[in-house]
């Protein structure tokens, strides 16, 4: 196996543009500085046991193998990086990219390590559903940003869009690539951790981007909720808008509290199918359609069902609706033909809230 061994003193400028080898190695104790030079690593892996630092230029990785490895004892610090490979770059070491990580072709698997984007201008470019960054071992992308007004900004192109936020100090955003246990429903395989000094009571409008294949369960009836955790307690808000992206993903928006926060998108299929709930019944004691039957209510044994008239007067309430459905009778008399309103809620599951109209007819 051909190896390129670099024994270099501190401050030495690496003067090569192309390295053709199987492994690019910096040895322990060496210091490699790359200034104003583009380096293209063709068909090789990298082992960085020394100190590799690039102050200018681009570090280009090209490879035809299905797996390319970056490893070593120390973290390489690159100015810019371009990935143009056929398969997957697997990181067995953390990596820092100061300016731009351009995804031309291929994927990056962080493993259990970090991709650090340390400055305001540090960003990912060209990430799509076909060329992307993920992790199989809990590794995260770490983005730092400081003292900057944010308006409809996808910070670092990590997929977390701040509609409007005057950032007065430093904020750290960490993007992870695994599902998160939620109180209800299934999360996508992406989460964000946001650390900022903004007051927890102040709400931000955020957009979350994700790729379709980050959804574990496929069901058109699943509804998106944005979940966020402050101080160990989960809350949720309904995603009030959703649209597709040209990079093979979608974005959802919601208003939520952000402080020391974990944020993810949760997908939940309601146990009650709104389309199956009838819109009318006939309480005429003929043995047919005499009661307002709610299909699936037995799945929510703690559900509270309330019936109101058009003026908001409560006519009927029970938390045992499966056994005692509404028969349209009040004070031993059948209520008149009219529209009425129902609400179904479950104190143990805030996502199971349904309301609608029910009519008494003859």
């Amino acid at each position: 196996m051909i190896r390129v061994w670099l024994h270099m003193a501190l401050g030495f400028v690496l003067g090569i543009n192309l390295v053709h080898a199987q492994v690019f190695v910096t040895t322990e104790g060496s210091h490699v500085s790359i200034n104003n030079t583009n380096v293209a690593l063709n068909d090789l892996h990298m082992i960085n046991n020394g100190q590799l630092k690039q102050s200018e230029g681009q570090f280009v990785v090209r490879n035809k193998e299905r797996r390319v490895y970056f490893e070593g004892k120390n973290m390489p610090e690159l100015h810019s990086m371009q990935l143009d490979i056929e398969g997957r770059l697997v990181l067995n070491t953390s990596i820092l990219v100061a300016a731009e990580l351009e995804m031309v072709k291929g994927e990056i698997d962080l493993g259990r390590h970090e991709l650090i984007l340390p400055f305001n201008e540090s960003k990912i470019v060209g990430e799509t559903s076909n060329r992307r960054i993920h992790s199989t071992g809990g590794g995260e992308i770490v983005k730092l940003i400081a003292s900057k007004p944010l308006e409809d900004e996808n910070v670092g192109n990590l997929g977390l869009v701040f509609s409007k936020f005057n950032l007065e100090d430093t904020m750290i955003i960490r993007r992870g690539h695994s599902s998160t246990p939620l109180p209800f429903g299934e999360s996508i395989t992406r989460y964000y951790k946001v650390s900022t000094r903004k007051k927890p009571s102040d709400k931000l409008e955020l957009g979350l981007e994700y790729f379709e294949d980050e959804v574990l369960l496929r069901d058109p009836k699943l509804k998106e909720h944005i979940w966020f955790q402050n101080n160990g307690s989960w809350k949720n808000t309904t995603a009030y808008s959703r649209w597709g992206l040209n990079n093979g993903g979608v974005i959802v928006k919601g208003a939520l509290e952000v402080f020391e926060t974990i944020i993810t998108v949760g997908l939940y299929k309601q146990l009650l199918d709104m389309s199956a709930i009838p819109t009318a019944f006939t309480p005429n004691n003929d043995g047919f359609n005499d009661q307002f039957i709610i299909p699936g209510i037995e799945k929510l044994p703690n559900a509270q069902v309330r019936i109101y008239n058009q003026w908001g007067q409560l006519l009927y309430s029970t938390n045992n609706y499966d056994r005692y459905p509404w028969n349209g009778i009040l004070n031993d008399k059948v209520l008149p033909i009219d529209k009425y309103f129902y609400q179904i809620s479950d104190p143990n599951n805030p996502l199971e809230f349904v309301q609608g109209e029910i009519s008494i007819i003859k």
Side-chain angles (χ1 to χ4, degrees):
M1 180 171 61
I2 302 173
R3 291 178 178 266
V4 178
W5 297 91
L6 301 176
H7 302 268
M8 301 182 178
L10 179 65
F12 183 84
V13 177
L14 183 64
I16 57 175
N17 289 323
L18 295 174
V19 179
H20 296 270
Q22 287 179 306
V23 181
F24 176 87
V25 180
T26 64
T27 59
E28 191 169 353
S30 65
H31 297 266
V32 181
S33 296
I34 305 173
N35 302 316
N36 300 314
T37 302
N38 293 335
V39 176
L41 306 183
N42 294 328
D43 298 323
L44 54 79
H45 308 281
M46 182 172 76
I47 301 175
N48 180 47
N49 289 326
Q51 299 293 328
L52 174 62
K53 186 171 184 178
Q54 179 190 39
S55 57
E56 294 290 341
Q58 190 174 51
F59 199 88
V60 182
V61 181
R62 300 191 185 101
N63 205 301
K64 297 178 182 179
E65 295 186 28
R66 300 306 301 168
R67 286 182 179 269
V68 184
Y69 294 92
F70 276 17
E71 52 189 71
K73 296 181 178 179
N74 296 316
M75 176 179 67
E77 299 180 21
L78 306 178
H79 177 259
S80 293
M81 178 178 169
Q82 183 187 90
L83 186 75
D84 187 1
I85 64 175
E86 295 297 327
R88 177 179 298 177
L89 171 62
V90 180
L91 297 186
N92 291 320
T93 181
S94 294
I95 187 170
L96 181 147
V97 179
E100 187 174 289
L101 170 56
E102 182 182 6
M103 305 289 292
V104 175
K105 186 189 295 184
E107 297 183 349
I108 297 178
D109 181 358
L110 301 178
R112 57 184 179 85
H113 301 280
E114 293 179 344
L115 165 62
I116 300 174
L117 305 173
F119 305 117
N120 283 11
E121 62 271 19
S122 307
K123 61 183 178 181
I124 300 166
V125 176
E127 188 179 27
T128 70
S129 58
N130 296 320
R131 49 181 191 268
R132 56 200 286 196
I133 301 167
H134 57 91
S135 61
T136 56
E140 298 176 329
I141 303 172
V142 183
K143 166 67 182 171
L144 284 77
I145 186 167
S147 304
K148 180 182 179 181
L150 305 174
E151 188 164 354
D152 291 327
E153 183 162 345
N154 185 347
V155 177
N157 292 333
L158 266 64
L160 191 61
V161 183
F162 288 78
S163 294
K164 193 171 184 179
F165 179 27
N166 186 25
L167 179 63
E168 298 177 349
D169 51 25
T170 300
M171 179 166 60
I172 302 173
I173 301 173
R174 305 178 76 95
R175 190 183 94 182
H177 309 89
S178 60
S179 59
T180 303
L182 298 175
F184 307 101
E186 184 87 26
S187 85
I188 61 173
T189 56
R190 177 185 295 213
Y191 65 83
Y192 296 91
K193 296 178 181 177
V194 179
S195 177
T196 177
R197 294 180 183 176
K198 191 171 180 62
K199 296 178 181 178
S201 59
D202 294 340
K203 286 197 173 184
L204 297 178
E205 185 180 63
L206 292 178
L208 280 75
E209 296 180 0
Y210 66 93
F211 298 117
E212 293 280 14
D213 61 1
E214 291 179 291
V215 177
L216 295 176
L217 297 177
R218 301 283 177 174
D219 191 322
K221 294 183 179 179
L222 290 172
K223 295 183 179 180
E224 288 156 317
H225 293 78
I226 298 175
W227 285 88
F228 54 103
Q229 185 186 78
N230 285 319
N231 300 320
S233 177
W234 281 105
K235 297 181 181 179
N236 78 90
T237 182
T238 301
Y240 60 76
S241 64
R242 181 187 195 274
W243 61 93
L245 299 171
N246 57 13
N247 63 359
V250 297
I251 184 169
V252 294
K253 273 195 169 184
L256 57 152
E257 299 171 359
V258 173
F259 190 50
E260 299 288 336
T261 307
I262 298 174
I263 308 170
T264 190
V265 175
L267 294 152
Y268 180 78
K269 182 179 179 181
Q270 283 191 306
L271 298 176
L272 294 182
D273 184 356
M274 186 73 177
S275 64
I277 299 177
T279 58
F281 72 112
T282 56
N284 55 14
N285 202 28
D286 66 353
F288 176 76
N289 200 27
D290 287 328
Q291 297 174 319
F292 175 35
I293 301 300
I294 301 176
I297 193 67
E298 72 280 357
K299 300 175 184 177
L300 298 171
N302 299 306
Q304 182 79 33
V305 180
R306 297 179 177 91
I307 310 293
Y308 300 88
N309 63 17
Q310 295 189 46
W311 295 273
Q313 178 187 0
L314 180 64
L315 305 176
Y316 184 76
S317 177
T318 181
N319 57 5
N320 196 1
Y321 198 87
D322 186 35
R323 292 188 62 187
Y324 304 107
W326 186 44
N327 59 9
I329 295 175
L330 180 66
N331 297 327
D332 298 324
K333 294 183 180 181
V334 177
L335 288 164
I337 296 172
D338 207 341
K339 286 184 179 179
Y340 300 87
F341 301 91
Y342 65 86
Q343 285 186 347
I344 306 169
S345 60
D346 188 336
N348 296 329
N349 186 345
L351 301 186
E352 289 291 345
F353 179 81
V354 175
Q355 59 184 0
E357 294 182 2
I358 179 68
S359 295
I360 291 180
I361 61 176
K362 286 187 177 180

